[in-house]
Amino acid sequence: MNFCLYCHKAFYEPVSWSFIAGLSEVMLFCEECSSSLERINGEYCEICGRSFTLFPEQYRQKHCCTDCIRWEESKEWSGLLTKNRSLYVYNDFLKQIISTLKYRGDAELAQGFRAPFRKLYKKEFRGMLIVPIPLSEERHYERGFNQAMLLAELLGGELLFPLERVIHEKKQSKKSRKERMDIKENIFQASKEAERIRGQSVLLIDDVYTTGATIRQAAKVMLEAGACEVSSMTVGR
C-alpha cells in the first residue's frame, strides 16, 4: 500500500510485469491525482512546447505559437532558446500542486515527478549540463529551498550553478502577462562557475514555463558566458 504525496490517501499500485520485474518506478501519486495531471501530447509549439490544443488556430503560425514568434521577432531576445519541453499543461490541479510545493513548503511533492521528469530528460536532453534556475537570496530564505533545484536533483546528474539572481522581484504569480514580458533589466548574471559551461549545451530547469521571460533572461546570460546552446525543461507549461 502506498500513500499519495498530494492527497495523502492510501492506494494500491496496479500490478504489472514491469512492476514485478522491478523495471517500473513506485507510483507516488494516486490514480485520481495522476489522472488530473494533463500530459502534453499531440502537436505543440516547436520552441516552447505549448500544446496547440489549448488555444485558437489564429494564435499559431505553422509550427510556432504567436508568443514565440514575438520573441523571435525581437532583436534582443531572438534565437536564445533552442527549445523548452514540459511534462504537463499548467491546469488548475497542477497549479495547486505547485502552489503547495512552493508556498506551503511541501518539498517532498517534487518526488512525485521523478519518473516522468527523468524520462523526458533522457528522451530530449540526454548529456546536456543541468542548471537549475536560481532564486533570489530573499526568496530562498523565505521558502527554505529552491523548487528548481529539487526538480533538477531528480535527474540524478551533476548540477552546475553558473547563474546568480541579482534582482529580487515580486512573485511571478502576482504579475500580469504584460509585466512578465516587459523586461527592463536582466534579473540574472553569470557566476564564477560560468567558465564550466563554455562550449557546452545547457539545460535550464524550472517548475513552470509561463511566458518564457525568465527562461530567456537566463539563456541570454548563459550564451554570453560561452554556452553553445540553451534549452529548458519544466514540469508545467
Side-chain angles (χ1 to χ4, degrees), residues 144-186:
F145 60 87
N146 176 3
Q147 71 279 355
M149 191 182 302
L150 295 179
L151 293 169
E153 288 172 345
L154 300 178
L155 302 177
E158 180 186 9
L159 306 188
L160 295 183
F161 304 95
L163 278 172
E164 294 177 348
R165 201 170 195 132
V166 291
I167 296 178
H168 178 67
E169 306 174 294
K170 73 177 182 180
K171 294 176 181 178
Q172 290 289 307
S173 59
K174 303 295 184 184
K175 290 183 178 181
S176 68
R177 187 174 193 80
K178 184 178 184 302
E179 285 178 315
R180 291 174 191 241
M181 299 184 79
D182 185 18
I183 301 169
K184 295 180 175 64
E185 186 178 0
N186 201 317

Side-chain angles (χ1 to χ4, degrees), residues 12-20:
Y12 289 100
E13 185 169 349
V15 176
S16 64
W17 285 113
S18 59
F19 177 80
I20 294 171

Side-chain angles (χ1 to χ4, degrees), residues 77-197:
W77 302 103
S78 66
L80 299 178
L81 183 66
T82 300
K83 65 179 179 181
N84 172 77
R85 295 294 179 264
S86 305
L87 288 175
Y88 306 110
V89 173
Y90 193 49
N91 61 14
D92 288 341
F93 183 73
L94 181 57
K95 191 177 296 185
Q96 292 170 18
I97 291 182
I98 296 294
S99 178
T100 302
L101 168 64
K102 290 166 66 171
Y103 307 128
R104 299 181 192 172
D106 195 350
E108 187 65 18
L109 275 172
Q111 293 295 323
F113 303 113
R114 182 175 59 207
F117 214 53
R118 284 182 176 180
K119 186 175 181 179
L120 182 60
Y121 172 73
K122 291 176 181 178
K123 177 185 176 184
E124 299 278 355
F125 305 110
R126 186 189 294 269
M128 296 183 72
L129 300 182
I130 303 169
V131 175
I133 292 287
L135 293 177
S136 67
E137 289 186 10
E138 293 93 333
R139 193 73 70 220
H140 202 147
Y141 177 78
E142 177 185 300
R143 292 183 190 161
F145 60 87
N146 176 3
Q147 71 279 355
M149 191 182 302
L150 295 179
L151 293 169
E153 288 172 345
L154 300 178
L155 302 177
E158 180 186 9
L159 306 188
L160 295 183
F161 304 95
L163 278 172
E164 294 177 348
R165 201 170 195 132
V166 291
I167 296 178
H168 178 67
E169 306 174 294
K170 73 177 182 180
K171 294 176 181 178
Q172 290 289 307
S173 59
K174 303 295 184 184
K175 290 183 178 181
S176 68
R177 187 174 193 80
K178 184 178 184 302
E179 285 178 315
R180 291 174 191 241
M181 299 184 79
D182 185 18
I183 301 169
K184 295 180 175 64
E185 186 178 0
N186 201 317
I187 61 176
F188 299 109
Q189 69 179 19
S191 73
K192 293 179 181 178
E193 274 199 41
E195 281 292 324
R196 297 184 63 187
I197 69 165

Side-chain angles (χ1 to χ4, degrees), residues 8 68 83 104 153 167 173 201 215 223 233:
H8 307 299
C68 285
K83 65 179 179 181
R104 299 181 192 172
E153 288 172 345
I167 296 178
S173 59
S201 297
I215 292 292
L223 290 170
M233 188 169 76

Side-chain angles (χ1 to χ4, degrees), residues 45-58:
C45 174
E46 64 181 17
I47 298 178
C48 73
R50 185 184 186 188
S51 173
F52 282 140
T53 62
L54 298 179
F55 53 91
E57 189 68 22
Q58 64 261 34

Side-chain angles (χ1 to χ4, degrees), residues 10-71:
F11 69 96
Y12 289 100
E13 185 169 349
V15 176
S16 64
W17 285 113
S18 59
F19 177 80
I20 294 171
L23 300 177
S24 65
E25 298 235 8
V26 174
M27 288 180 63
L28 297 174
F29 292 131
C30 67
E31 189 172 345
E32 182 178 352
C33 288
S34 295
S35 64
S36 297
L37 293 168
E38 186 179 349
R39 288 299 295 260
I40 295 177
N41 293 311
E43 288 189 287
Y44 49 76
C45 174
E46 64 181 17
I47 298 178
C48 73
R50 185 184 186 188
S51 173
F52 282 140
T53 62
L54 298 179
F55 53 91
E57 189 68 22
Q58 64 261 34
Y59 295 106
R60 168 184 179 178
Q61 293 185 29
K62 295 184 179 178
H63 301 297
C64 290
C65 68
T66 51
D67 274 359
C68 285
I69 289 169
R70 281 197 292 269
W71 284 116

